[in-house]
Amino acid sequence: MLVYLFPGQGSQHKGMGGELFGRFKALTEEADAILGYSIEELCLRDPRGLLANTAYTQPALYVVNALTYLSRLESAERQPAYAAGHSLGEYSALFAAGAFDFGTGLRLVQRRGALMAAAPEGAMAAVIGLSAESIHDLLDRGGLDGIDIANYNSPTQTVISGPKADIARAQSLFETAGASLYIPLNVSGPFHSRYMREARESFEQFMRPFAFRKPSITVISNVEARPYQEDRLKAGLADQMTSPVRWTDTIRYLLGKDGEADLEEIGPGNVLAKLVRAIRAEFDADRLQQAQGVHAEHPAYAARLETAAARVLDEREPEVPSGTEQAPELRASETQLKREDYPGDNFPLRMVNEHENQLLVARPQEADASLITAQSLGDADFKADYRLKYAYVAGAMYKGISSVPLVVKCGRAGLLGIFGSGGLRLDEIDQAIAEIQAELESGEPYGMNLLHRPDDPALEEALVRLYADRGVGVVEASSYLTVTRALVWYKARGLYMDENGRIAGRHKIMVKVTRPEVAEAFMSPAPELIVRDLLREGLIAAEEAQWLRGLPVADDVIALSDAGGHTDQGAMAVLLPAIARMRDELVRRHGYAKRIRVGAGGGIGTPEAAAAAFMLGADFIATGSINQCTAEAGTSDAVKELLARAQVQDMAYAPSAAGFEIGAKVQVAGRGTFFPYRADKLAKLYAMHESLDALDEQTREAIQSKYLRQSFEEAYEAAKAAATREEIGRAERDPKARMALVFKRYLDLSADKALQGDPDWRTDYQIFCGPALGAFNQWAKGTGLEGWRSRHADELGMLLMREAAAWLNRRFEAMAGYR
C-alpha cells in the first residue's frame, strides 16, 4: 500500500523547489498571478527573507508540495491509495486527491497564512519525553486548563498551545515530571487551539464560495485521524485551525491498514519521515508486545518477542537531533539568526525552527530563546500587504532627500522606503519612478510621497494621475488637513472586485497625521460630496463610487509626533493611543472588512524609542531624520557633516514657507546656522508691517544684503517663477502678499542652498530635522556608525528593529525578575 505524506511549516528552506518551477511553468505563472509576487524567487533566493514569515511560508510550501507531487506522478509506477498531510500539508493532500484545483488550494492557503500570521497573542511549547496521557494528566492536576494540545506529533513529542503566562508556568511542571526537553516555540500565536476561533470563523466564511469535489483517493483528516467524508471537507479544514493535529493517530491508522505500508514524503525535507519512523517503531513494539501476550504459554518465544520489542524502541531515532545531523530546515533558519545580527547581549543561544511544530531542534541551552525578534515586531498583515520583512517605513523627505538609492536599498532589504517627491517637477518625479522600478524589478516594496498643495490642487491631481499611470501602488500623503479629490480619485481607480467577490485595491494610501481629527477624516469613507462630484464628472465609475462608501480613505495612518519639518510637537505616548482607539471605533462603526493599521513616526532614532512605539501599540514605525544623515540621502555632504554632530537639544522651530502667512512652524536643525533666528525675524516683520516699503532703511538693507543676497525686486521676480497664478495675482494686488512672497524666497533659498551644499550659504542652511537624529548620534558615538559615510538607510532600519527586539526581551526578563 502506497501512501503520500505532505509536510507543513517547518520543512521550508531556501532553494526548495529547484527545477520544478521551470518544468511546471504554467502553474508557476498562475501562482505568481494569485500571490502578486514571484513564488520561484521566494523559494529559491528569498531576497527579502520572507520565507520564514507565516503569510509567505504557507503558500510557498503548498506550491512546492503540489509541484513535487506532479513530478512524482510522472515517474511513479503505481498510484497512492491514501494521502495525508501535517496541518498545512493537508491542503496538498486534498489537491493530490482532486478535491480542488491548484489555484483554489493556493487561494485557501494564502488566506489561511494571513489569518494565522494575524493570530491573537499567545505561545506554544514542545514537550519531549512524556506521553500524551501524562501531559493531559499534568495539565489537569496543575490547574492549567487554559492550555490546549496543539500537536500529537509522535508518542513522545507533543506540542501545547495557550496564553503566554500559562505556557511559561507549565515549564517547571513538565520538567519536574521528567520531560527530557521543554522548548518554548518561536511563534506569534496559539495555533491549533480554542484561541483561534475567530480566525476559524473568518476562514470558514472565506471558503463558502469555493466548490470542492469528491477526493479520488482517500485522505486522512488531521482532526479525526480517519478518512475525510466528502461533505466534511470544508468543516474539517476550518476545524483544523482550532483542533489538534493528530499525527500519531493518523500514522497508526495507516499502519493498521497495512503494517508494511510504504509511506513516502512528498515535499521538501524529511520532517515527516523522522516522525513516521518514531511512530512506526512504537507501533511495531506494540504489536510485538501483543504477540508476547498471545504466546505467554510459550515462555521462550515470548521472551524473544519481548527482546525484539525492546530493541525496536531502543533503535528509534532521537526526537531531538544534534550536531551535524540537524535537519536542512534548521540550517536554513540559522542563516537568519547569527550572532552578528544581534549587536546586544541577548543573542538567543537556543533556537527552535518551528511554525506548525513538526520538527523540534534545540541548540545549547545556556540561555532562553528570545520571545521577540526584529521580524516579529509589528502587524503581520501590514508586512504581508506591503511585502515587507520588517514593519518599518523610511518616510519621505523633501526634494528627493529620500532619494532613489535610499528607496531601492530599503526595498531590497524588506523595508518600505518612500521617495521624497515634494518640491520636485513632474518630469523629475517621473524619472525617479522609472529608475526605482528598473532597480526593483522583482516587485520589492517602495512608495512615493504626495505632498498636499492647497494652493495648487491641479498640480496635486496631475501627480496622482502620474502615479496611477506609472503603476505606483503606494502613496504616502503628507501635510494634509482634509481629504481631497485627488486622493479619493487615486483610491477609486485602484479598486476592483476579485474572483471571490471581495473589494480589493491596487492603490494603497498611507497618511501622516499630527491630529486625531485629521486621522478621523482619513479613517472614514471618502466624503460623499467628493464621491458624487467625481461620479458626475465621469472621473470614476458607478461601482467605484459604491465601493468607496464601504472603505476608509487611508489603508494606514502614521501618527506623527515630534518630527522634523511640519509638526504639531505632539507626544507619541499621547497621540498614538488616541488615534488607535479612534481607529478601533471607526472600524466597528463602518464594519470595515480590513483593519486600518496605525504606525508611529517622529522622535524614533534609538532602539528604546522604537520599542516604546511598539509597546504603545504601533503596527509599524516610520523614521525620517536619521535617514537624512546617511550615504544614500539626497542632500549635500556639508549638511550631513553638520547633522552628524547634532545633539538632541540642537533643534529649533522656524516659520514654514508653505504656511508663512498663517504662522505655521517647522522643526529644523538649529546648531551651526542662523536660519531659525533670521526666518523668525522675517515672520515678525511680516506680522508688524503692511508692505516692504514700510520697513526702515536699515532693516531693508540688512535683509537684501545678508538674507536674500539680492534686491527685493530680484527676489520678487525669482519668487514669481515658482509661485502659482493665484499667488502672483494676490501679490500684484496686495503689498502685504508681495512682502510674504519675497520673505518666503529667503526660506526657499535656504532650503535649496543646503541641498546644494553652497558654502556661501552655510550659515543660512534650512535643514528639516527632529531631535531623533541627536539621540541616534549619541547612541552611535564611539562606534563605526559615528561618521555619516558608514550609515546606510537599510542597515539603520534593520539595526533599529533588531536592537529594539533585543531591548524588549531584556526589559521583559528584568521585569519578570530574571537576571
Side-chain angles (χ1 to χ4, degrees), residues 228-549:
Y228 258 117
Q229 300 301 314
E230 182 181 359
D231 61 351
R232 285 282 300 162
L233 291 175
K234 290 184 180 180
L237 292 178
D239 288 344
Q240 189 203 75
M241 300 187 78
T242 54
S243 301
V245 176
R246 299 185 178 276
W247 192 247
T248 300
D249 289 344
T250 294
I251 300 304
R252 290 183 69 93
Y253 173 83
L254 292 167
L255 293 175
K257 292 291 183 182
D258 180 357
E260 302 302 321
D262 182 7
L263 279 63
E264 182 177 342
E265 187 166 2
I266 304 294
N270 58 357
V271 170
L272 298 185
K274 292 177 182 291
L275 293 178
V276 166
R277 281 195 288 271
I279 298 167
R280 190 191 287 270
E282 185 116 348
F283 179 83
D284 290 343
D286 285 348
R287 289 199 302 173
L288 288 168
Q289 289 167 351
Q290 291 169 7
Q292 178 188 356
V294 170
H295 297 283
E297 67 273 18
H298 304 288
Y301 187 55
R304 289 175 59 192
L305 292 173
E306 182 178 7
T307 301
R311 186 175 65 251
V312 167
L313 293 174
D314 288 342
E315 291 176 354
R316 287 181 302 180
E317 289 194 31
E319 295 278 348
V320 186
S322 60
T324 59
E325 298 175 354
Q326 290 177 345
E329 58 273 13
L330 175 66
R331 293 196 296 272
S333 292
E334 284 184 322
T335 63
Q336 301 171 27
L337 194 65
K338 301 176 181 177
R339 183 172 291 279
E340 55 264 35
D341 290 337
Y342 285 77
D345 59 5
N346 198 41
F347 177 75
L349 293 177
R350 185 171 73 189
M351 183 192 75
V352 176
N353 172 53
E354 207 286 325
H355 281 280
E356 286 192 10
N357 326 318
Q358 294 172 11
L359 181 66
L360 307 169
V361 183
R363 297 187 65 185
Q365 298 179 33
E366 287 86 352
D368 285 332
S370 293
L371 298 176
I372 301 170
T373 67
Q375 294 182 48
S376 71
L377 289 169
D379 182 78
D381 278 345
F382 176 83
K383 287 177 279 190
D385 285 352
Y386 289 92
R387 305 178 189 176
L388 303 177
K389 185 176 179 181
Y390 305 95
Y392 183 97
V393 177
M397 292 179 287
Y398 193 65
K399 286 194 173 181
I401 294 176
S402 47
S403 62
V404 169
L406 187 152
V407 171
V408 169
K409 264 191 168 288
C410 287
R412 287 175 175 166
L415 314 168
L416 178 60
I418 309 293
F419 179 79
S421 61
L424 298 179
R425 302 188 310 270
L426 285 178
D427 63 309
E428 293 175 316
I429 298 169
D430 194 11
Q431 179 62 31
I433 295 171
E435 292 175 5
I436 291 170
Q437 291 178 341
E439 292 289 338
L440 302 180
E441 58 183 355
S442 298
E444 295 92 340
Y446 76 94
M448 302 293 292
N449 179 240
L450 182 64
L451 184 65
H452 183 35
R453 292 297 302 267
D455 58 330
D456 195 355
L459 176 60
E460 186 179 315
E461 293 188 10
L463 186 53
V464 297
R465 287 182 182 277
L466 173 65
Y467 288 161
D469 290 344
R470 294 293 182 267
V472 173
V474 179
V475 161
E476 180 204 78
S478 57
S479 299
Y480 282 80
L481 295 178
T482 186
V483 176
T484 66
R485 282 168 48 99
L487 282 170
V488 175
W489 179 86
Y490 177 79
K491 178 84 172 185
R493 294 315 302 265
L495 298 177
Y496 66 96
M497 188 75 75
D498 68 15
E499 64 276 7
N500 297 313
R502 298 170 302 177
I503 301 172
R506 298 183 183 89
H507 296 163
K508 293 184 176 65
I509 295 176
M510 179 183 295
V511 62
K512 289 179 176 177
V513 299
T514 59
R515 302 179 182 182
E517 65 271 19
V518 178
E520 182 175 15
F522 278 90
M523 293 191 292
S524 300
E528 186 61 27
L529 182 61
I530 292 179
V531 174
R532 288 177 180 173
D533 284 347
L534 292 173
L535 182 59
R536 184 177 62 252
E537 296 171 23
L539 296 175
I540 62 174
E543 63 268 24
E544 291 171 337
Q546 187 59 37
W547 293 339
L548 282 171
R549 296 182 176 104

Side-chain angles (χ1 to χ4, degrees), residues 559 561-562 570-577 600-604 609-610 612-614 616:
S561 50
D562 192 16
M572 182 196 301
V574 176
L575 186 64
L576 179 63
I604 300 177
F614 286 117
L616 286 168

Side-chain angles (χ1 to χ4, degrees), residues 91-170:
Y91 292 78
S92 303
L94 288 169
F95 162 70
F100 42 68
D101 59 29
F102 175 81
T104 296
L106 184 55
R107 290 184 177 91
L108 294 174
V109 167
Q110 182 184 32
R111 180 62 173 172
R112 181 182 187 266
L115 288 170
M116 292 185 71
E121 187 177 27
M124 302 178 77
V127 184
I128 309 295
L130 294 178
S131 68
E133 293 76 12
S134 298
I135 290 171
H136 279 287
D137 183 57
L138 286 166
L139 290 175
D140 184 52
R141 288 192 287 112
L144 292 169
D145 54 1
I147 291 179
D148 291 346
I149 302 295
N151 296 60
Y152 297 93
N153 280 338
S154 76
T156 57
Q157 184 187 114
T158 304
V159 177
I160 59 175
S161 182
K164 283 187 175 181
D166 286 356
I167 296 297
R169 189 157 61 95

